Each structure stands twice: as C-alpha cells, then as structure tokens.
Amino acid sequence: MNPVQLALRVLRVDLRSRLSALLTAAGVAVATALILFLATLPNATDARMERATWQRGAADPSGAISQASLDFFKNEKIIRLDVSGDRPAVDGAPSFPGAGEVLLSPRLAELAKQHPREELANRFDGNVVGVLDETSLKFPEQLVAVVGHQPGTLDATKAEETGWIAAGTDDFLLKFLSGVGIVLLAIPSLVLVASAARLTAARRERRLAALRLAGATPGQVVGTVAAETTISAVAGTVVGLLLSWPLRFVGAQIPWGGGTWLPSDFTPSVPTVVAVAVVIPLLVVLAAVLGLRRVVQAPVGAAMSQSRKAPKAWRLLALPAAALFFAFGLYTADETGGLTFMLAALAAVLLSASIVGPWLTGALGKLFATTWRRPAMLLAGRRLRSDPKAAYRSVSGIVLAVFVGSMALTLLPSFETFAGGGRSFKDSVLYLDVPSATVADQKKRVVGELERRGANATVVSANQVTLETSEGGTYAGLVISCPDSAAVTRMAVGVCAGPPAIRADPATQLPDSGLRIRAYPASDSDDEPATFGLPANVVTRPLGGQDPELSSSVLIDPELVPEVANVGESTLVVNPATDADREKVRTALAAALPAESFMSRELRLAEQQTMLGDLKRVAAIGLGLAALLAGSSAAITSASSVVDRRRTFGALIAAGTPVRMLGRALRTEAALPALVATLTAGAGGIAIGVSMLTLFGDDTQVVISGWIFAPVVIGVAVAVLAASSSGPMLRRISSEPIADE
C-alpha cells in the first residue's frame, strides 16, 4: 500500500483524523484567501492610478490641451479639467467635450442637481452633455468635471505645469500597509493552520511510531504524513482561491482616500495566484514533515509518549538578533525608501517570539511547579514544564495579535499629532499664491465677481516673506495690514492703533536694527529673492495668545516695506463671511479665476482626518482579523491539548480528581504563559511602533494612550476563554471508559 492509499484509509476510518483534516483545510482556506487579497492591494492601487492618469494637465502635440485644477465642495475634492481641442477616447480616458460642453462624474452630477446652482453647477460653464464612466475614475465616488473651451483659449505651458495635480498618484502608504498586513496576518493564519494540523498530533505520532516499529522506512512514514497533509492543504487552497472571489466585492466597499474601489481592482495577477497556490501548501506540508523528527529518529520514545527535551537558553539569542535585523531594516528604509528589508525584519521579530516563547513557558512552569499553593497550579506548572512547546503553542497566535495591536495603538495616536498646517490663516480662509505683479488685477476680478453673485467675503492680499536678523535668526512672516490680518489670520493682533510695527510672539526677542526682509520669488521665476532692509528702531508689538504652530511667525505692516508689494509672490486671501456663503464664494472664484486651485487650512485638516480615518479603519479590520485568527487557533490548540492527553486526564479522573479542578488547571496553564507572553509582546509592539515613527522624522511626537494596555488584557481574556472552550471535551472524557484509550 503506497503512502497516498494509506493516508486515504486513515481519513476514511478515523473520525478524529477527518476532523483534523477538515480544520486544517479550513485554516488553509482562510490563510489563502486573506494573503491573496492582501497581495492584490499593490496592484489595486496601481489600477486606481492608471485609471486616473488622464486627469492631469498636459499639452498634446495634436493641439489638445488639458489644464488641471483643484476645487472643493463641502470639503470634498473636485478634479477640474479645462480642455480644448479634439482628443478621442483612449485607454479609459474619455474624449474631450467641445467648447461650451461639460462632462461630470456620476456623483458630481448628482450633487449639482441636489444643490442650488449658485453653489455648485454654475462653476462649470456649459451644457452637461454626458456622465463619465466609473472605469475612468479613481474611485466610483470621485468628483471630476471636464469643461470644454474654444481652441487657443488655454495656455499650453500652464497646462503642463498643472500635471502634478493628477488624481492617480502612487499610494505609497497603502502599499506599505499591505506589506505589513501580509506579514502580520500571514503568520497568525499559519499558526491557525498548524493548530488545526496538530489536533490529533499525539494520536498520529503513536500511529506512525507503530508503523516504524512494524518495519516502515522513514521515507514511508514521511510520505504518509505528506500525503495526508497535502490532501488537506490542497483542498483548503482551492477553497481559499474560490473564497478570494467574493472577498473582492467585500474589500471594494472599504473606503480609502475618500472613496471605495472597483471589484476588478482586486483581480490578482496570474503569477500571484500561482505563487500563493504553491507556497502555502508547501509550507503546510513542510511544517508537518519537520514535526516527524522524533517519530523517525526515536519511534519507541514516541510510541511511549516520553517527555520531550526542555528548550535551551540559547533561544534567548533570537531577541537581540531580531532587534539588530530590525534596526538594519529601519536604517535601510530611512536611507533608501525601500521596505523589503524592514518588512523582512518585522517578520523576523514575530518569528523570534515563537523561538523564545517555549523557553519562557518552560521557565514559568518550573517556577509555578516549585511554588504551587493549589493543586490546579501544580498541574498547570507540571504541564508547562513537561511540554513547554505545546503549552506555548496555545497562546502563540494571541501573542502575535497583542504585538500587532500594541504596535498599531502606538502608531495611530502619534499619527494624529501630524495634523495641522495650512499657513497662518483661519480655517475658513481660501488662499492662492500668485505673482505680485498680477495680484491687484486678480483681486479686482474676484471682488467684482463676488458682488455680481451676491456672495459676501473679505478679500485681501499679503506677501509671504522671511524676516532675517543681523545675528542670523529667521522668522516666517506676512506683510499685511493689521486690520486685514485680524480678519483673515489666526494670529491675535490686538489693537491696531499706533505707528507701523512688527507683531511677534512675546517670547520672540527682535533687535531694534539690522532687520531685513527676503521676499519669496514667484513660482514661475528663476530670479533670486529680493531683499529689503527695515528702518532702524522699528516698533515691535507682542501678539496675544495664539496657536503654538505660529510662535515663530511675525506680521509686518506694509508701510515699513512698500517696495515688497510688487516683488516676488503674493497671496490672494478670501474669507467667506459665513458658512452659508462658502460655496457661493467658491463658485464666484471659479468664474473669476478659472482653473486656479484655492486651498485652505480647513481642507488640509479634512484631508488629514480622512487619512487618519482610513488608518483607523484598516487597523480595526486588521486587529479584528488577527484577534479572530488568534482566538480560533487558541481554541483549537486547547482542544487538541485535551485530546492529546486523553490518557492522562482519564487516569486523573479515575484516580478521583474532580473534573472542575482539571478545568481550572487548563485555564491556569493558558493564563500564566499568556499573561507573561502578552506583556512581553505588548512591550515589543510599543518599541517597534516607536522605532517606526522615526521614519517620519526625528522630531515626531510619540503619544502613549491608555488604550495601549487593552491588547494585553484582551489577549489574556481570549486565552482563558479558549481554554474554557475545551470543557465539553473534558467532560466527554470523564464519561468514557478509560479502557477506550
């Protein structure tokens, strides 16, 4: 009988082996589906980028011109393309509309119908002649408008300069998270597979040992196990590949970057499918074969269930080795931007826990077996000491989940400190940098359009400059009148009466003389920035309480440097009177200065909150999956622990040991290593998270929230609940005749 026939016969006649095979196949299916989905994320981000590549400014040799700009409606980004010329549809890009015609994305067209025309629809002069197909959008909810103009009315040079506004940029963050997700979820998935495969490990070991003692060669034993495991692994892989299809539609509903996805984005490439379909079964079979070392080398010891050797202290060396590797990966990522070494180092850190964990479990068992006060603790300590590898196996998935959770809860609160920016203007202010030579004309056009449309707003201009001292100090500054700064900036200017002055933070000590101003050159100019000296004995007035971000910023009255008004770059500043006027003001700006992108601090903060929301959502999903996988593997391992020790438990029950006491012993042997291991994993996750924050700058603020301890508490609770789930199996053993074993 060849190994395949023997494996099929075992599965046919042994109920426990069939259960183990089914659970192994289920674990492999889950691992395959998750890993394949995560592996498609980089391709999905590329698919988004490719669909939106046409949404950028460009000048075609044929004469077709597209000028890109950003607009916003209720803090949602609108990609506006002003186009001229004749460009046919190609590679998912729509054909250009004619002069006086407009194409809108489906959701933008819907919003234009739902709101008054003066708030949105009037921004796009022309007749709406069609709706863009979702296959030409970055995501189905994207807001895009394509406005047609007469040939020759758009500047080809300016159109080329707006190419950076493309909507389809490379999403580095999501690719990074997908790589981290593969590392952090693949290992718990494999732990689940290993737990299911070991459900009847002791029974299988005795069976294979009997075959060896009966004359079977090591190759036949290995072949039998490989065949039995291959059947489960291949079946599970096939099911996982099938599950990945509906999983695409679930993943397409998870928002990222302001919108959802197309299910086709998650279509894996053929090499990816082949790699996953081959590698996962191979890993499962390899793990099963490597576990046969004792049966092959010492079949008598395996048949008699002799205790295994205690793990050696050399395992502790895995921790500093993994730490050094991670430091190297972090250095490589910081210097080159490559993530390969860092992700590999992160995997090494996770694997080091599996190496050190059994030794730590054995040490705990020795401690509690020596200092026990209750019988349950003695039984638990003996178990941890006699087979620390199996005892740690029940909490290994939980340890990984706690590590992931602690790392995520370290990174996310710190990411929230990145929020801010938007210059010194108020949140509601809309601003645009323009050449100083044109700011007066553009300001006049904006004011006229606002009056014509009945929109109320304050319109001022300011020069962004750098204030320099003779000692080499530099301060960011705005040349703007005191009343105007009170109307549009976040700086507490106080009373504006008195002679022209510099207004600065009270802690800023400016000298009375030797001050000069360096103007910002226009963005389209290669000229050196102009420098102007300030009068001696200039008056300095303190600003009131204000945003700490602005502590190094100053305000300079225009009377002190009138020469700067027509030099370099100015900022056109528009502040809507009320929230009700906001969208009307934007419509007026689109009419007065078409194809210009007005920004605001409010919009920057909204984009940052969108990103933080995406990160929190992804973290919650990832932690939920990791916890589910860890809990499942812990429950299966606890059940397999009871099955493996049927003889021991049967003998203890026959000797009069209460089943309730055995249940307490099972919970104790789960809780003790879980508590220590999760505390260690939590500390490691915090350390890794803090280290990864250095990639975002050495001055990144580290925020430690009280929620950082939640993964440890939940991990211990899950371990105890998983151990409790083996109670029914323990009671079943107590009702069976001990002679059955």
Side-chain angles (χ1 to χ4, degrees):
M1 182 179 294
N2 61 47
V4 176
Q5 292 174 324
L6 183 58
L8 291 174
R9 175 166 293 187
V10 169
L11 293 175
R12 187 167 59 251
V13 302
D14 189 357
L15 177 61
R16 297 178 195 171
S17 295
R18 286 202 302 273
L19 177 60
S20 176
L22 288 174
L23 290 175
T24 301
V28 172
V30 171
T32 301
L34 285 178
I35 293 174
L36 187 59
F37 175 76
L38 291 172
T40 61
L41 282 179
N43 291 335
T45 58
D46 290 340
R48 271 185 161 190
M49 180 181 66
E50 291 173 4
R51 282 201 306 273
T53 50
W54 65 275
Q55 300 172 15
R56 65 177 70 212
D60 194 271
S62 64
I65 297 175
S66 61
Q67 185 171 328
S69 61
L70 292 180
D71 198 359
F72 294 86
F73 180 75
K74 296 186 182 300
N75 288 346
E76 291 190 67
K77 184 188 296 184
I78 301 174
I79 302 295
R80 172 172 175 149
L81 288 172
D82 291 273
V83 301
S84 66
D86 184 17
R87 192 183 74 178
V90 59
D91 295 333
S95 58
F96 281 178
E101 296 179 342
V102 178
L103 293 176
L104 299 179
S105 63
R107 187 159 181 272
L108 183 56
E110 182 180 347
L111 291 174
K113 292 178 181 178
Q114 293 174 350
H115 294 83
R117 291 190 60 84
E118 63 269 17
E119 291 187 1
L120 182 58
N122 287 346
R123 302 183 193 183
F124 317 114
D125 293 332
N127 298 321
V128 179
V129 296
V131 176
L132 296 170
D133 188 82
E134 65 179 12
T135 57
S136 62
L137 303 175
K138 185 176 181 180
F139 43 83
E141 302 86 357
Q142 189 186 19
L143 306 182
V144 180
V146 185
V147 182
H149 296 267
Q150 291 287 350
T153 57
L154 298 180
D155 187 347
T157 302
K158 189 171 183 179
E160 291 282 2
E161 293 173 353
T162 62
W164 64 271
I165 302 179
T169 54
D170 187 13
D171 199 333
F172 167 81
L173 181 59
L174 189 57
K175 289 186 176 182
F176 169 72
L177 290 177
S178 66
V180 173
I182 290 176
V183 173
L184 298 183
L185 289 181
I187 295 178
S189 299
L190 294 177
V191 170
L192 175 61
V193 174
S195 300
R198 291 191 59 84
L199 185 59
T200 58
R203 188 181 183 91
R204 175 194 288 175
E205 198 171 63
R206 290 195 298 269
R207 183 176 67 242
L208 296 176
L211 290 175
R212 282 284 287 122
L213 294 173
T217 65
Q220 290 173 323
V221 172
V222 171
T224 301
V225 173
E228 185 178 338
T229 308
T230 299
I231 294 172
S232 302
V234 171
T237 301
V238 172
V239 173
L241 293 176
L242 295 177
L243 285 176
S244 66
W245 181 263
L247 191 60
R248 299 189 317 160
F249 295 90
V250 176
Q253 303 307 313
I254 301 174
W256 179 268
T260 56
W261 307 73
L262 298 181
S264 58
D265 292 339
F266 299 102
T267 302
S269 62
V270 174
T272 301
V273 174
V274 172
V276 172
V278 172
V279 171
I280 290 182
L282 281 179
L283 288 177
V284 175
V285 174
L286 181 62
V289 171
L290 291 177
L292 299 177
R293 184 174 56 181
R294 193 167 76 136
V295 175
V296 173
Q297 295 178 352
V300 175
M304 298 179 65
S305 299
Q306 292 180 355
S307 60
R308 295 167 173 81
K309 293 181 180 180
K312 303 298 183 182
W314 65 262
R315 290 171 174 263
L316 294 176
L317 296 176
L319 288 179
L324 289 174
F325 187 22
F326 183 79
F328 172 74
L330 203 64
Y331 171 79
T332 303
D334 189 33
E335 292 294 323
T336 66
L339 300 176
T340 302
F341 282 107
M342 196 186 76
L343 293 177
L346 187 59
V349 171
L350 293 176
L351 290 174
S352 67
S354 300
I355 298 174
V356 177
W359 182 90
L360 184 62
T361 303
L364 281 174
K366 184 177 181 180
L367 174 65
F368 285 105
T370 303
T371 62
W372 68 279
R373 292 294 181 268
R374 295 183 178 180
M377 185 173 290
L378 172 62
L379 292 173
R382 284 293 186 89
R383 162 64 174 170
L384 298 179
R385 184 177 180 181
S386 64
D387 196 354
K389 293 181 181 178
Y392 176 76
R393 196 178 297 120
S394 63
V395 297
S396 58
I398 295 174
V399 169
L400 297 178
V402 170
F403 176 86
V404 175
S406 300
M407 186 174 69
L409 292 177
T410 301
L411 293 173
L412 289 178
S414 300
F415 284 157
E416 291 182 353
T417 63
F418 295 166
R423 311 258 290 262
S424 58
F425 300 118
K426 294 179 179 179
D427 290 358
S428 59
V429 165
L430 306 170
Y431 57 86
L432 174 69
D433 293 329
V434 298
S436 296
T438 64
V439 69
D441 177 63
Q442 291 176 326
K443 179 179 177 181
K444 182 178 179 181
R445 289 163 58 186
V446 168
V447 171
E449 195 65 35
L450 288 170
E451 292 176 350
R452 188 175 73 83
R453 296 178 180 269
N456 299 318
T458 301
V459 184
V460 302
S461 61
N463 291 88
Q464 190 177 1
V465 299
T466 300
L467 177 66
E468 300 176 346
T469 66
S470 56
E471 291 82 8
T474 59
Y475 303 88
L478 279 180
V479 177
I480 186 173
S481 69
C482 180
D484 287 346
S485 62
V488 300
T489 71
R490 291 179 285 143
M491 306 176 80
V493 297
V495 179
C496 290
I502 297 175
R503 289 173 171 80
D505 188 271
T508 301
Q509 301 295 325
L510 294 177
D512 295 335
S513 59
L515 298 175
R516 59 183 181 273
I517 285 177
R518 187 179 298 274
Y520 276 56
S523 58
D524 57 352
S525 172
D526 295 328
D527 297 338
E528 289 292 326
T531 302
F532 304 95
L534 290 178
N537 300 319
V538 64
V539 177
T540 301
R541 290 196 173 92
L543 292 167
Q546 59 184 4
D547 191 331
E549 290 182 0
L550 306 178
S551 60
S552 61
S553 299
V554 297
L555 298 174
I556 304 164
D557 280 324
E559 291 87 345
L560 295 175
V561 277
E563 305 91 342
V564 80
N566 298 314
V567 175
E569 191 170 70
S570 295
T571 302
L572 184 62
V573 186
V574 182
N575 188 20
T578 65
D579 287 340
D581 291 305
R582 188 168 183 76
E583 300 308 330
K584 292 181 181 179
V585 169
R586 280 200 170 278
T587 302
L589 294 177
L593 301 175
E596 295 290 356
S597 301
F598 279 82
M599 294 300 296
S600 75
R601 173 179 164 83
E602 185 179 49
L603 296 173
R604 289 175 60 89
L605 294 176
E607 291 181 352
Q608 292 166 356
Q609 290 303 318
T610 298
M611 179 177 292
L612 286 173
D614 290 339
L615 290 174
K616 291 178 180 178
R617 189 181 306 109
V618 169
I621 294 173
L623 293 178
L625 289 174
L628 180 61
L629 293 171
S632 300
S633 63
I636 293 174
T637 304
S638 297
S640 67
S641 173
V642 175
V643 172
D644 287 348
R645 293 182 286 169
R646 292 174 69 91
R647 290 182 174 180
T648 302
F649 284 127
L652 288 171
I653 292 171
T657 306
V659 175
R660 183 177 300 178
M661 181 181 295
L662 294 178
R664 284 199 300 269
L666 285 173
R667 291 189 293 272
T668 303
E669 74 180 46
L672 291 178
L675 178 60
V676 177
T678 52
L679 284 173
T680 305
I686 295 173
I688 294 297
V690 171
S691 300
M692 293 176 69
L693 285 173
T694 60
L695 294 175
F696 300 91
D698 295 334
D699 57 346
T700 301
Q701 183 178 354
V702 179
V703 179
I704 302 297
S705 167
W707 287 101
I708 203 74
F709 302 104
V712 176
V713 176
I714 294 174
V716 175
V718 169
V720 174
L721 289 174
S724 301
S725 66
S726 60
M729 189 167 294
L730 190 61
R731 288 190 293 271
R732 180 179 176 182
I733 293 175
S734 66
S735 63
E736 293 178 350
I738 191 173
D740 288 351
E741 288 294 327

